[in-house]
Amino acid sequence: MPLWKIYHPPGAFSLEDKKGLSADITALYRRLPRFYVGVVFHAVEPQDFWVGGEARDNFVRIWIDHIARTMPTPEIRAMAIRAFDGALRPYIADKGLDWEFHIDETPFDLWSIQGLRPPPPESEAEKRWIAENRPSAYEV
Amino acid sequence: MPLWKIYHPPGAFSLEDKKGLSADITALYRRLPRFYVGVVFHAVEPQDFWVGGEARDNFVRIWIDHIARTMPTPEIRAMAIRAFDGALRPYIADKGLDWEFHIDETPFDLWSIQGLRPPPPESEAEKRWIAENRPSAYEV
Amino acid sequence: MPLWKIYHPPGAFSLEDKKGLSADITALYRRLPRFYVGVVFHAVEPQDFWVGGEARDNFVRIWIDHIARTMPTPEIRAMAIRAFDGALRPYIADKGLDWEFHIDETPFDLWSIQGLRPPPPESEAEKRWIAENRPSAYEV
C-alpha cells in the first residue's frame, strides 16, 4: 500500500542509503505487512527537475500514495508527518539536501496484490499476512 | 483518461509484450474512446525498487489514475479489479513475476485533451470521439 | 504544492524550453510561493509510451497534483484548465505535439516542506514565504 516515489538528484543516495531509507520507511508502517511498503527511487538530472522555475540539483521530492489505511484525525496526520520527516532527516536534511513530500489517500477497494484483494484492516487474514510477510488466499 | 504507470524490472517485457499488454489494457475500457487509455512503462533497476525494505528484481508495480469514469458500487469495483488482474496475468503472473496495482479516481472536470474538455459520459460528442478515435470540438 | 510530472518524447524539449515552460507553469500560480511549484520532466521512448494500444512518439502526457489550494467551483476549474492549456501551447501544440493533462487534488494537511507544515492559505506566514521565496518556521 504505501507507495513512495522518490525523485532525487543523481548520486544523492548510495545503495546503502537506499536500503536504509527503504527499511526506515517500512518501519514507519509497523501495523502493516512489510511487503505492503513500496519505494521507487528515480534519479532526475537538474535539467529535468525544476522548482519555482529554477533547475535544482539538491532537491528531493517525494510523492506518496496511501491505500491500506486512512488517517482520520488532524492529530494523527500531524503525528505521521512528523514521523515521516524524522525518518527522512538522516538521509536528506543531514546531507544538506532540500526536500518536500505530499501524501494522497486512495481507495482501499481499488487495490490488488498478486491477484488478491488485501484483507480488511486488523482482520485475522491481515494478521497472517503480517506474520508470513506475503499475500495468501483467505475466506471473506 | 485511465493512465497506467507500470514500474517493472529491466527486460521484463519485450516490445511485443508492451504492445500486447497496452492493447489488452485498452480493451478493458471498451466504452471509452481508445485514445483515452495511456500506458507508460518505466524500467526500474533492483537498487531503485524496494518492497518491505528489500530490493526486488521480479516485481511489477502499477499506479493507475481513472478520470473519465468512477466506479460507483462495490460490485462494479470488484468486477473491475478481477478483469484487470485477468488482463495482467499472461504478461506478469504467467512469467513468474509478482505484481501489485492500485487505482485512484481523480476529478473529471480537471482534465484536458488537445485543449478540449472531454465530453460528458455517453454524450453524442463522446460517441463521435469513440467512432473517430480522436478528440474534436463539440457544442456544449 | 503543485507537482507537474511531464512525460514527453526524447528530444521534444530543449533546455531553454524546459526553463521557459517551468517558468510559465510557475507563473500560473501567482498567489503561491514560487518554490511551491515543482516540475519534473521525464523522457519516454516510444516503445514505453502507448495511447489506445499504439506507441506514440509525439505525445506529451502531464500528471498534476494540487495540494496548496483546491478549486471550489466549476467556473474556477474551467478557467484554470484554459489557463493551463494556454501556458502549454507554445511548447507543445505549436510544435505539433499532442498532449493531455489531468489534475488531482490531494490533502493540504498531508504535506511537508523542509520539515515544516506549509502555512494556511492567505496567512501572514504564507505572505512571508511568498516574499522570501523560501520556507521558514512560523507561529501557529
Side-chain angles (χ1 to χ4, degrees):
Chain A
M1 94 114 175
L3 181 57
W4 289 51
K5 180 74 184 290
I6 302 181
Y7 299 106
H8 62 86
F13 302 122
S14 68
L15 179 59
E16 282 309 297
D17 288 333
K18 291 175 183 172
K19 187 180 175 62
L21 180 51
S22 59
D24 291 354
I25 291 168
T26 302
L28 290 168
Y29 301 94
R30 67 197 71 189
R31 299 179 70 169
L32 298 180
R34 290 200 306 283
F35 70 88
Y36 278 11
V37 185
V39 181
V40 176
F41 290 91
H42 186 170
V44 182
E45 299 285 343
Q47 67 262 32
D48 289 321
F49 209 157
W50 301 79
V51 176
E54 293 168 29
R56 294 296 304 269
D57 62 2
N58 65 340
F59 191 67
V60 178
R61 185 64 174 86
I62 306 175
W63 187 328
I64 304 166
D65 267 9
H66 276 187
I67 313 159
R69 298 286 196 279
T70 54
M71 295 185 285
T73 69
E75 290 75 22
I76 289 173
R77 292 175 166 231
M79 197 169 60
I81 298 295
R82 274 197 304 275
F84 287 21
D85 272 313
L88 296 172
R89 189 164 300 277
Y91 302 95
I92 297 178
D94 292 353
K95 296 169 136 192
L97 297 166
D98 291 335
W99 81 103
E100 177 179 352
F101 69 83
H102 79 289
I103 304 166
D104 196 13
E105 296 185 325
T106 73
F108 184 85
D109 64 350
L110 295 179
W111 176 36
S112 178
I113 302 180
Q114 299 288 93
L116 299 168
R117 316 290 298 272
E122 321 294 339
S123 63
E124 287 307 307
E126 193 190 61
K127 287 174 190 156
R128 195 179 69 236
W129 286 33
I130 291 171
E132 299 181 352
N133 195 31
R134 64 177 187 85
S136 54
Y138 60 94
E139 300 285 328
V140 180
Chain B
M1 91 111 174
L3 180 58
W4 288 52
K5 179 74 184 287
I6 302 181
Y7 298 107
H8 62 85
F13 302 122
S14 68
L15 178 58
E16 281 309 298
D17 289 333
K18 290 175 184 174
K19 187 179 175 62
L21 181 50
S22 60
D24 291 354
I25 291 169
T26 301
L28 289 168
Y29 301 94
R30 70 196 70 190
R31 300 180 70 170
L32 298 181
R34 290 200 307 284
F35 70 88
Y36 278 12
V37 184
V39 180
V40 176
F41 290 90
H42 186 170
V44 183
E45 299 284 343
Q47 67 262 31
D48 289 321
F49 209 157
W50 300 80
V51 176
E54 294 169 28
R56 294 295 303 270
D57 62 3
N58 66 341
F59 191 67
V60 178
R61 184 65 174 84
I62 305 175
W63 188 326
I64 304 166
D65 268 8
H66 276 186
I67 313 160
R69 298 286 196 278
T70 54
M71 295 185 284
T73 70
E75 291 74 22
I76 289 174
R77 291 173 167 233
M79 198 169 60
I81 298 295
R82 273 197 303 276
F84 287 19
D85 272 314
L88 296 172
R89 188 165 301 277
Y91 302 95
I92 297 178
D94 291 353
K95 296 169 137 191
L97 297 166
D98 291 334
W99 80 102
E100 177 180 353
F101 69 83
H102 79 290
I103 304 166
D104 196 13
E105 296 185 326
T106 72
F108 184 85
D109 63 351
L110 296 180
W111 177 35
S112 178
I113 303 180
Q114 299 288 95
L116 299 168
R117 316 290 299 273
E122 320 295 338
S123 63
E124 287 307 307
E126 193 191 62
K127 286 174 191 155
R128 195 178 70 233
W129 286 31
I130 291 171
E132 300 181 350
N133 193 32
R134 63 176 187 87
S136 54
Y138 60 94
E139 301 285 328
V140 180
Chain C
M1 90 115 176
L3 180 58
W4 288 52
K5 180 75 184 288
I6 301 180
Y7 299 107
H8 62 85
F13 302 122
S14 68
L15 179 58
E16 280 311 297
D17 288 333
K18 291 175 184 173
K19 187 179 175 62
L21 180 50
S22 60
D24 291 354
I25 290 168
T26 301
L28 289 168
Y29 301 94
R30 68 196 70 189
R31 299 179 70 169
L32 297 181
R34 289 200 308 283
F35 70 88
Y36 278 12
V37 184
V39 181
V40 176
F41 290 90
H42 186 169
V44 183
E45 298 284 344
Q47 66 263 31
D48 290 321
F49 209 158
W50 301 79
V51 175
E54 294 169 28
R56 293 295 303 268
D57 62 3
N58 65 341
F59 191 67
V60 178
R61 184 64 175 83
I62 305 175
W63 188 327
I64 304 166
D65 267 9
H66 276 185
I67 314 160
R69 299 285 196 279
T70 54
M71 294 184 286
T73 70
E75 291 74 22
I76 289 173
R77 292 175 166 231
M79 197 169 60
I81 297 294
R82 274 198 303 275
F84 287 20
D85 272 313
L88 296 172
R89 190 165 299 277
Y91 302 96
I92 298 178
D94 291 352
K95 296 168 136 191
L97 297 166
D98 291 334
W99 80 103
E100 177 181 352
F101 69 83
H102 78 290
I103 304 166
D104 196 13
E105 296 185 326
T106 73
F108 184 85
D109 63 352
L110 295 179
W111 177 36
S112 177
I113 303 180
Q114 298 288 95
L116 298 168
R117 316 289 299 274
E122 320 295 339
S123 63
E124 288 306 308
E126 193 191 62
K127 287 175 190 154
R128 196 178 68 235
W129 286 32
I130 290 171
E132 299 182 351
N133 194 32
R134 65 176 186 86
S136 53
Y138 60 94
E139 300 285 328
V140 179

